[in-house]
Amino acid sequence: GTPASMSRFRGALVAAVLGDCVGGEFEGAEEVPMETVLQHLSGLEDETKGNCVLEYSDDTAMTRCVVQSLLNRSGYDQQDLARRFAKEYSASPGRGYGSGVIQVLKKLASPQLVDVYQPARDQFNGRGSFGNGGAMRAAPFALAFPNLPDVKRFACLGAMLTHSCSLGYNGAVLQAMAVHLSLQGALCLPQQFISRLITEMEEVEGEEEALRDARILKEAEKPFCERLHRVRDLMDRNKVSIEEVISELGNGIAALHSVPTAIFCVLHCLQPRDYLPESYGGLERTIAYSLALGGDTDTIACMAGAIAGAHYGVEAVPQRWMRCCEGAEDADMNAARLHALYHQTSQGG
Ligand code: R7I
Ligand code: MG
Ligand code: MG
């Protein structure tokens, strides 16, 4: 498709929901044989099963808040978004939220709250969360703002409502940038795609707070850059085992151990793989592969889904999969509305 086409917007938002819904089955599993993944996915194709419903988790619940807020406020409004997060959590607390972020969401509900970023700063003894909860809901920022500086800035602020550690919010910046570039068609040149992400993250991680957090947490000087270099090394190789991907990139709940992993899943699945069905297109391969990594499967598949969906477009999403996923229809409709906002913004409106 052409850059920033409607199909890419719909693909991004719908495939993110799909990843979350189908990935929920394996969240936290240590090892997930590919055979089990393929069985789970072919279960969605089974018409005789009638109306299968896979519920979405916190990943989609919070993404929906971001989408609704951006649309309603025609841009980023921290008060509005904070209120929506709090309201959504109190309406459906059972969506599988991270154990730490629940405290933030409860505080955000207080009408006395003056600084909406303060509850996030109080997390984990004042250092803030490095979980992937900011990154899992970052895709809509790439679908609302056409300019990269805006995407970076608002993805960062939107994540800081719950994640004040740079290893948390910079994961959101990276995820939003990956969706932004994919939307432009940048995945047609995978080498340039990863190089561009590294160049951008060099700058992002050169900030003082990022350097300080990395030092305190005893990570590499620029942790996301280091991981992206590993992604580049892995994608250059012909054969890579799942075990190697997990040990090099991780499959955990930290943004650092999941956002580069999701990006790798997309890059690795641009080509057919002999352990994935020949009938699968790139989007199906990406989701299946993400689940086979185990660990934080709903979130890795959600993030990989958003990037892949922006590349392949909505036509690549299997109708039967979509019908099984709660919130997929809604995502499709809202993607069209974000498409309008994006193109309105790009004309300076
Ligand atoms: O990041 P967050 O919103 O969780 C998102 C994940 C996704 O996988 C969702 O699908 C859902 O399952 O949860 O929630 P947080 O509570 O901020 O962070 C998640 C977890 O990361 C925390 O519960 C901690 O276990 C861990 N964590 C930390 N541990 C120690 N020190 C995050 N930050 C820290 C830290 O600074
Ligand atoms: Mg979840
Ligand atoms: Mg998860």
Side-chain angles (χ1 to χ4, degrees):
T2 51
S5 65
M6 175 80 87
S7 169
R8 289 178 184 268
F9 278 69
R10 295 171 59 199
L13 225 48
V14 170
V17 175
L18 245 60
D20 180 20
C21 291
V22 302
E25 174 83 5
F26 306 110
E27 190 182 23
E30 241 179 70
E31 263 174 66
V32 186
M34 186 60 88
E35 207 191 310
T36 312
V37 169
L38 298 180
Q39 254 168 34
H40 177 52
L41 292 173
S42 68
L44 310 179
E45 308 268 349
D46 193 349
E47 296 264 29
T48 61
K49 278 195 177 165
N51 49 334
C52 56
V53 180
L54 298 174
E55 289 183 357
Y56 62 73
S57 79
D58 57 329
D59 303 51
T60 300
M62 295 192 92
T63 302
R64 288 161 61 101
C65 293
V66 176
V67 167
Q68 294 295 354
S69 183
L70 290 170
L71 287 172
N72 263 277
R73 308 299 304 152
S74 300
Y76 180 66
D77 178 334
Q78 58 204 32
Q79 305 285 346
D80 182 75
L81 184 53
R83 235 184 332 250
R84 284 174 195 273
F85 285 156
K87 213 175 151 200
E88 168 60 33
Y89 173 71
S90 76
S92 313
R95 294 271 187 194
Y97 286 87
S99 55
V101 78
I102 290 170
Q103 300 310 313
V104 180
L105 297 171
K106 286 179 180 162
K107 290 182 192 171
L108 287 179
S110 162
Q112 277 93 38
L113 186 68
V114 179
D115 180 358
V116 287
Y117 296 104
Q118 192 56 44
R121 288 190 205 108
D122 296 339
Q123 292 296 93
F124 299 100
N125 303 313
R127 214 184 43 234
S129 172
F130 52 62
N132 56 19
M136 74 189 184
R137 59 175 195 255
F141 294 102
L143 306 180
F145 302 103
N147 302 313
L148 188 59
D150 288 339
V151 173
K152 291 163 77 173
R153 176 160 159 246
F154 295 123
C156 183
L157 289 170
M160 286 169 82
L161 289 171
T162 50
H163 292 68
S164 79
C165 176
S166 65
L167 277 95
Y169 62 72
N170 280 341
V173 172
L174 175 56
Q175 167 66 9
M177 278 203 290
V179 175
H180 168 87
L181 292 179
S182 178
L183 207 60
Q184 309 300 317
L187 276 168
C188 293
L189 297 167
Q191 289 295 337
Q192 288 186 25
F193 176 87
I194 194 73
S195 298
R196 177 76 192 280
L197 286 178
I198 292 172
T199 309
E200 293 290 341
M201 288 310 287
E202 282 286 346
E203 187 194 308
V204 170
E205 292 196 291
E207 299 277 333
E208 207 177 295
E209 307 87 79
L211 294 168
R212 187 203 54 212
D213 287 345
R215 238 187 345 262
I216 295 169
L217 290 164
K218 296 190 167 50
E219 294 288 347
E221 189 192 15
K222 295 181 175 179
F224 284 100
C225 288
E226 190 212 28
R227 299 271 161 162
L228 289 172
H229 281 286
R230 292 188 199 177
V231 169
R232 177 149 69 188
D233 293 343
L234 289 173
M235 70 190 265
D236 285 344
R237 286 181 28 205
N238 245 337
K239 280 212 152 62
V240 190
S241 71
I242 295 233
E243 291 73 24
E244 280 174 288
V245 176
I246 297 170
S247 80
E248 289 290 305
L249 302 177
N251 63 0
I253 211 164
L256 186 62
H257 303 153
S258 50
V259 182
T261 312
I263 292 168
F264 175 75
C265 289
V266 179
L267 291 165
H268 184 73
C269 293
L270 287 170
Q271 304 141 38
R273 298 287 168 183
D274 52 17
Y275 42 82
L276 287 164
E278 269 179 51
S279 63
Y280 273 17
L283 187 84
E284 292 136 293
R285 288 196 296 270
T286 305
I287 293 200
Y289 188 78
S290 306
L291 304 196
L293 295 181
D296 195 359
T297 46
D298 65 335
T299 305
I300 294 173
C302 171
M303 296 189 294
I307 303 166
H311 175 63
Y312 299 107
V314 75
E315 293 77 17
V317 177
Q319 285 289 316
R320 295 234 180 87
W321 292 17
M322 197 172 153
R323 269 201 293 272
C324 291
C325 297
E326 180 194 10
E329 279 296 331
D330 262 22
D332 198 11
M333 279 177 348
N334 284 330
R337 298 173 65 203
L338 282 171
H339 179 261
L341 177 66
Y342 176 106
H343 287 284
Q344 171 194 322
T345 316
S346 63
Q347 285 158 20

